[in-house]
Amino acid sequence: MNIEKNNHPVKRRKIIRRRTQSSTSPSTYVGESLDMFPIDLIIEILKRLPTKTIAICRCVSKQWAFLLRSQHFTKSFLTCSSTQPRLLFTFRLGGKWHFFSFPQPRNIDEHVSVVAADYHMGISGNRYTEFSQVVNGFINIYENQILEGKRKLGRVSVLCNPSTGQQVPLPKAKARNKDLRSFFGYDPIENQSKVLCMTVTKYRRQINSKEHHVLTIGKGKRSWRKIQCLVPHFPVRYRNPICIDGILYYIAWRSSNIVIACFDVKSEDFRFIKIDDDASYAMANFFALINYKRKLGLLVYKFGNVDQLWVLDDTEKEIWSKYNLCLADKFFFARKSIWGTDMGEIVWAPTYWTHPFYVFYYNVERQSVRRVEIRGIKERVFKSQDRPEAVFTFANHVENLMFLQ
């Protein structure tokens, strides 16, 4: 239906192709007669729009739908979104996990006290749900469910894209042992996301990973591939992994020592960072791996001592820089929701719901804390006096329009 304003009908625009004198390749324009715009200009404009607005634009016409679903536009949008990372958080309420996000502050000198959150999606889930870290706009969710057609509990893995609302169940790894550890990583060189899954077995009082499988996320049929790891190790559960520039880091036991396992997402090779005696003692009390200025950061909580942030400056020589932290004790109750930013800040939020709801940013160099109030959540999903059961926060989230098939 055409909408009329001041008795002049609105003209419909269409995408047409024509050849220009300066190039023999076809150039795409939008419009007609003298009112024409190059397709590159259209993409530059559209990639700055919110994801919900882009979803509406897909309904304009088949040409618009084809353009906005093209690989070129998806890649351009992701490149733009990567310069504007967001803070993603989820909580369980009314039998669903609800996902919100809001922009991360990009200027540490800018005073921002209140931000509005955008609602993305809600998915069914129980309180025993586990979340991987957010990777390239996707999040891997693990949940214990009664398997269809069977009367037993099984671990179900689902890949979610909060920006598009898409949910894709992943195939079950064919492993002999039911005790599994799974991690989610992304290789920016090949633009590939992969899930690393390993079984954990106990033999002669030694607990180690045995079978290692990799699942590549993308177009085409998804199936697990078995890979080799020649170093027995035991991934520690409930310790958040982190993926930085194609390397997936997670904490593990190797014999009786704590190490940092490094999995190269591209080559699928393993290596391990040893911890010296002083570090090994402190590692027993650590609680988070973070991305600190695109370097691996380790938050260490020493009982009765000064809390520290360790930053891995040289991965080959395993050289660490150490920073003392001045944080309140209640900071450490947010263990499941603490991350680092590329701006050099540590960000965390309570793992329980509060009103008003705050997110805290700690500047390591200045040793200062600022808080930002998040609004727009209660009005969107809350009813009467409902309270979420748990809150999980993820930093450096980027919006990705990629659809999995």
Side-chain angles (χ1 to χ4, degrees):
M1 179 183 295
N2 290 338
I3 302 176
E4 296 189 3
K5 184 177 180 181
N6 298 330
N7 296 325
H8 295 290
V10 175
K11 295 182 179 180
R12 295 192 179 199
R13 299 194 181 278
K14 60 181 180 179
I15 300 178
I16 60 175
R17 293 183 181 272
R18 54 177 277 180
R19 294 186 180 273
T20 61
Q21 295 179 353
S22 59
S23 175
T24 57
S25 60
S27 175
T28 306
Y29 285 79
V30 176
E32 51 187 329
S33 65
L34 298 178
D35 190 14
M36 295 182 180
F37 301 97
I39 190 62
D40 292 340
L41 177 60
I42 294 298
I43 290 179
E44 283 296 319
I45 296 173
L46 293 179
K47 73 181 184 181
R48 289 170 169 79
L49 296 178
T51 54
K52 291 184 178 180
T53 304
I54 292 178
I56 296 175
C57 291
R58 290 196 185 105
C59 302
V60 172
S61 66
K62 291 183 179 180
Q63 291 92 341
W64 281 104
F66 177 79
L67 169 66
L68 297 177
R69 286 193 173 97
S70 66
Q71 185 177 1
H72 176 57
F73 179 77
T74 300
K75 185 178 180 179
S76 298
F77 183 88
L78 180 60
T79 302
C80 182
S81 176
S82 299
T83 63
Q84 305 169 7
R86 303 174 67 86
L87 200 71
L88 178 73
F89 61 98
T90 181
F91 56 81
R92 186 175 182 270
L93 180 67
K96 285 187 175 182
W97 288 94
H98 300 273
F99 289 84
F100 288 81
S101 74
F102 59 89
Q104 284 181 194
R106 303 300 296 161
N107 185 354
I108 60 177
D109 295 320
E110 182 181 0
H111 179 70
V112 179
S113 57
V114 179
V115 296
D118 297 323
Y119 182 75
H120 291 293
M121 61 185 294
I123 62 173
S124 300
N126 56 44
R127 66 181 64 186
Y128 303 106
T129 301
E130 296 180 27
F131 298 93
S132 71
Q133 73 273 26
V134 176
V135 175
N136 200 38
F138 291 86
I139 184 169
N140 202 7
I141 301 175
Y142 309 95
E143 187 176 52
N144 291 327
Q145 297 180 356
I146 300 297
L147 300 178
E148 185 177 355
K150 301 180 181 180
R151 295 183 179 181
K152 62 179 181 179
L153 198 65
R155 195 166 186 258
V156 179
S157 177
V158 178
L159 194 65
C160 293
N161 185 340
S163 300
T164 63
Q166 187 183 24
Q167 305 173 45
V168 178
L170 299 181
K172 185 178 179 180
K174 296 181 179 179
R176 299 176 183 178
N177 197 305
K178 297 180 180 179
D179 191 0
L180 305 176
R181 302 287 190 275
S182 298
F183 304 100
F184 192 28
Y186 172 69
D187 170 33
I189 298 177
E190 299 292 337
N191 190 28
Q192 282 189 337
S193 299
K194 296 180 181 180
V195 180
L196 170 66
C197 178
M198 60 191 78
T199 62
V200 177
T201 59
K202 186 175 182 180
Y203 179 71
R204 292 183 179 179
R205 298 183 180 180
Q206 292 288 330
I207 303 177
N208 289 311
S209 59
K210 188 174 182 181
E211 296 178 284
H212 302 78
H213 299 81
V214 168
L215 178 68
T216 301
I217 306 298
K219 296 182 179 180
K221 184 179 180 180
R222 287 178 287 273
S223 60
W224 292 95
R225 294 179 290 103
K226 196 170 182 178
I227 63 174
Q228 277 192 337
C229 177
L230 302 179
V231 180
H233 65 286
F234 170 51
V236 179
R237 189 184 288 273
Y238 306 122
R239 299 294 190 183
N240 289 335
I242 191 75
C243 188
I244 305 174
D245 293 335
I247 305 298
L248 177 64
Y249 301 94
Y250 59 92
I251 299 299
W253 285 98
R254 180 180 175 185
S255 297
S256 58
N257 300 316
I258 295 181
V259 297
I260 299 178
C262 312
F263 176 73
D264 191 311
V265 179
K266 180 181 178 181
S267 66
E268 301 180 359
D269 294 328
F270 290 87
R271 63 181 296 264
F272 298 86
I273 299 177
K274 298 179 181 179
I275 305 297
D276 56 36
D277 293 337
D278 177 64
S280 181
Y281 169 78
M283 285 283 287
N285 300 317
F286 100 100
F287 64 89
L289 295 176
I290 66 172
N291 182 345
Y292 181 77
K293 293 184 177 181
R294 304 192 68 84
K295 294 182 179 180
L296 176 64
L298 177 68
L299 286 168
V300 177
Y301 177 38
K302 294 184 179 181
F303 295 101
N305 295 310
V306 178
D307 309 318
Q308 291 185 330
L309 167 66
W310 298 357
V311 180
L312 186 60
D313 293 321
D314 192 318
T315 57
E316 297 297 329
K317 297 181 180 179
E318 300 178 6
I319 298 176
W320 298 82
S321 295
K322 299 181 181 180
Y323 302 88
N324 291 335
L325 306 178
C326 298
L327 297 169
D329 291 340
K330 65 179 181 180
F331 164 79
F332 297 100
F333 289 100
R335 298 188 178 187
K336 293 183 180 179
S337 295
I338 176 169
W339 304 91
T341 71
D342 55 358
M343 300 300 293
E345 292 184 308
I346 301 173
V347 55
W348 76 92
T351 55
Y352 54 88
W353 179 256
T354 62
H355 185 73
F357 188 77
Y358 292 104
V359 173
F360 298 87
Y361 295 84
Y362 178 81
N363 187 292
V364 177
E365 297 177 355
R366 299 179 181 180
Q367 293 189 350
S368 60
V369 179
R370 59 194 176 105
R371 69 179 187 181
V372 177
E373 180 184 351
I374 313 302
R375 294 182 180 177
I377 303 174
K378 188 174 182 180
E379 299 80 3
R380 184 64 174 81
V381 297
F382 282 29
K383 296 180 181 179
S384 64
Q385 300 299 319
D386 292 344
R387 291 177 62 88
E389 298 179 11
V391 180
F392 294 87
T393 311
F394 308 92
N396 304 316
H397 170 63
V398 297
E399 293 184 310
N400 193 338
L401 297 177
M402 178 182 176
F403 275 86
L404 300 178
Q405 300 183 12

